[in-house]
Amino acid sequence: MEFIKKNWKGLFLCLAVAVPSTVLGKLFPVIGGPVIAILIGMLLALVIKNRAPFESGVKYTSKKILQYAVVLLGFGLNLKVVMETGKQSLPIILCTITTSLVISYVLHKAMHIPGKISTLIGVGSSICGGSAIAATAPVIDADEEDVAQAISVIFLFNILAALIFPVLGATLGFPTTSGEAFGIFAGTAVNDTSSVTAAASTWDSIYHLGSQTLDKAVTVKLTRTLAIIPITLGLALYRAKKAEEESGDKVSLKQVFPFFILFFIGASLITTVATAAGVPAEGFQPLKELSKFFIIMAMGAIGFNTNVVKLVKGGGRPILMGMACWFGITVVTLSMQHMMNLW
């Protein structure tokens, strides 16, 4: 009862933001529900003068519900299917992740961009946009403004990719009788699931391929999602080591270990075993949808706690970093596909 009394106003506010954001996100998939939720949250922050009654529930949503969303994301991963059909694109995925992380680290040093924003942009660009940012933020203890900044950058290049890549694919001579080549390209070079879907569906629609491109792109995208596991665990170890160096005291890994990632792995294993036993994959769809809804709720909370003026003022350098990561990933993806005779 104490929990409800303390948090219900903030939870209700985030829920009220998430419902219309979800609907609008489906109507405008290139933008997506999470970005819309952040924008609505920012607008509400400007309108609501007394935020104190909402603070506890909003904080709970931006931290805990975000972690629950990542756990539920695991129910969308059948590890057997992903590894069987996604292994073809695995070398490309590893190279693009490495490229994005190296670029973000170099620009973090060269342009003096804050480390947490740099990490979120690097991970979000290379793995799976908002979902990767959602998983990484608690591990590195990023605040709401860091997350909002990273999501905003990812959103910008999501839209550009969804609009430009089908034209780019045709210009470069991707096969139009099969969706495989462009599906791999979209699945590895586009940041967020909504924009991967938009770009792949556009290719299918233009060349009357049914859902060939979309199916391939989504499978590749799910393979990328698995990189959340080693990345978050690696960041937890790095954070523990850095904390020890700064304080001089022994820091227990347990203090910084992202235990919600273990539940994410558990959810993936449950899905894999259950589908192997004959449970239809569609049975997990409600949990996948709930994961998306929780992410949208959390993004509404993050928007509500974001200083809009500070976000706008600090946006230039992170956008340049996002552009560099995006360009690097695109070039590496195209080069690798060409070298592997996948195009």
Side-chain angles (χ1 to χ4, degrees), residues 38-69:
I38 284 180
L39 294 174
I40 294 176
M42 287 178 177
L43 288 173
L44 286 176
L46 296 174
V47 173
I48 298 173
K49 301 302 180 185
N50 181 18
R51 296 202 232 170
F54 304 98
E55 282 181 358
S56 180
V58 167
K59 185 176 181 182
Y60 182 85
T61 304
S62 68
K63 301 293 184 185
K64 291 296 182 182
I65 288 185
L66 192 58
Q67 294 181 22
Y68 301 155

Side-chain angles (χ1 to χ4, degrees), residues 242-300:
K242 190 173 181 181
E244 283 184 10
E245 290 174 353
E246 290 176 352
S247 66
D249 298 324
K250 182 74 174 175
V251 176
S252 168
L253 182 59
K254 187 177 179 181
Q255 293 175 256
V256 296
F257 189 83
F259 284 98
F260 67 95
I261 291 296
L262 296 181
F263 293 109
F264 167 80
I265 297 170
S268 303
L269 291 173
I270 289 170
T271 303
T272 305
V273 172
T275 49
V279 176
E282 293 76 16
F284 294 100
Q285 191 62 34
L287 294 173
K288 290 162 64 179
E289 292 299 322
L290 184 59
S291 171
K292 294 176 185 176
F293 186 76
F294 276 0
I295 286 178
I296 292 171
M297 268 188 78
M299 292 304 130

Side-chain angles (χ1 to χ4, degrees), residues 190-264:
V190 184
N191 300 334
D192 205 66
T193 304
S194 59
S195 293
V196 170
T197 302
S201 297
T202 299
W203 190 266
D204 279 332
S205 177
I206 292 171
Y207 300 108
H208 311 290
L209 297 173
S211 63
Q212 282 185 42
T213 313
L214 180 60
D215 292 344
K216 187 67 179 181
V218 169
T219 302
V220 173
K221 184 68 170 59
L222 290 175
T223 308
R224 281 171 69 191
T225 302
L226 288 175
I228 285 176
I229 299 168
I231 289 291
T232 50
L233 295 180
L235 286 170
L237 288 168
Y238 174 77
R239 185 182 166 202
K241 184 179 178 182
K242 190 173 181 181
E244 283 184 10
E245 290 174 353
E246 290 176 352
S247 66
D249 298 324
K250 182 74 174 175
V251 176
S252 168
L253 182 59
K254 187 177 179 181
Q255 293 175 256
V256 296
F257 189 83
F259 284 98
F260 67 95
I261 291 296
L262 296 181
F263 293 109
F264 167 80

Side-chain angles (χ1 to χ4, degrees), residues 300-324:
I302 285 165
F304 188 72
N305 276 341
T306 298
N307 184 323
V308 181
V309 175
K310 186 177 177 183
L311 185 69
V312 172
K313 283 184 176 179
R317 290 177 299 161
I319 288 173
L320 286 174
M321 174 181 282
M323 182 173 67

Side-chain angles (χ1 to χ4, degrees), residues 28 36 66 78 87 89 94 100 113 127 144 154 168 194 207 217 220 232 235 247 292 305 309-310 315 328:
F28 305 101
I36 294 171
L66 192 58
N78 182 331
K87 62 185 177 183
S89 59
L94 293 175
S100 181
I113 300 171
I127 300 177
E144 284 84 356
I154 296 300
L168 178 63
S194 59
Y207 300 108
V220 173
T232 50
L235 286 170
S247 66
K292 294 176 185 176
N305 276 341
V309 175
K310 186 177 177 183

